[in-house]
């Protein structure tokens, strides 16, 4: 064995155990945490959204509303359907193409009173108010769901 075959010895130093007296290597009563204050105390943890005692942003902003009810169906007056020719099949998709309605919501399209129906039409895919149902039957229109 000579000097060229020697391997280096890696030193492993024990970690300093904080708060275990002066003989532990990091001793004293402050134990490397400084003097006074929140960070020197035991068990301090800064929570998410903590702003140093100031009211946090999420509490300063206005609260959001709770449950939002489903939107109502689009309402169409019965007299609007007089624009179609006699015997035409009318559905919400056709009303959308003719630009009588802007969109078809999840709750669909409801035909409400207001005027009278003077033509025989085939109505599909609508919901109806009670008065409209009777008025449409009087005009000879067929109502399908």
């Amino acid at each position: 064995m000579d000097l060229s075959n020697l391997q280096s010895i890696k030193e492993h130093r024990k970690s300093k155990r904080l708060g275990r007296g002066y003989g532990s290597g990091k001793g004293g009563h402050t134990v490397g945490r400084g003097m006074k204050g929140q960070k020197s105390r035991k068990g301090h943890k800064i929570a998410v959204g903590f702003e140093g005692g100031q009211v946090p942003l999420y509490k300063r902003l206005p609260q959001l509303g709770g449950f939002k009810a489903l939107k109502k169906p689009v309402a169409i007056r019965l007299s609007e359907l007089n624009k179609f020719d006699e015997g035409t099949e009318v559905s919400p998709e056709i009303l959308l193409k003719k630009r009588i309605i802007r969109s078809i919501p999840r709750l669909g399209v409801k035909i409400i009173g207001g005027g009278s129906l003077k033509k025989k039409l085939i109505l599909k895919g609508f919901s109806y108010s009670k008065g409209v149902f009777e008025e449409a039957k009087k005009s000879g229109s067929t109502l399908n769901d």
Side-chain angles (χ1 to χ4, degrees), residues 54-97:
Q54 176 176 307
V55 177
L57 179 69
Y58 70 89
K59 286 192 173 183
R60 282 181 275 155
L61 295 176
Q63 300 299 310
L64 294 175
F67 173 75
K68 298 269 195 269
L70 293 172
K71 292 184 178 178
K72 296 177 182 177
V74 172
I76 297 295
R77 289 196 175 149
L78 189 62
S79 59
E80 295 270 339
L81 301 177
N82 288 323
K83 295 176 182 177
F84 293 98
D85 295 331
E86 187 96 17
T88 307
E89 184 176 307
V90 181
S91 67
E93 290 79 21
I94 292 170
L95 292 178
L96 190 63
K97 285 180 186 174

Side-chain angles (χ1 to χ4, degrees), residues 5-21:
N5 295 341
L6 289 178
Q7 292 180 343
S8 65
I9 299 171
K10 294 184 180 176
E11 286 188 32
H12 178 70
R13 199 181 273 179
K14 282 189 174 182
S15 61
K16 294 184 179 183
R17 296 184 66 218
L18 302 181
R20 299 296 185 275

Side-chain angles (χ1 to χ4, degrees), residues 92-109:
E93 290 79 21
I94 292 170
L95 292 178
L96 190 63
K97 285 180 186 174
K98 295 267 188 179
R99 296 187 180 191
I100 294 174
I101 59 174
R102 291 182 184 175
S103 65
I104 302 171
R106 276 197 308 177
L107 294 178
V109 179

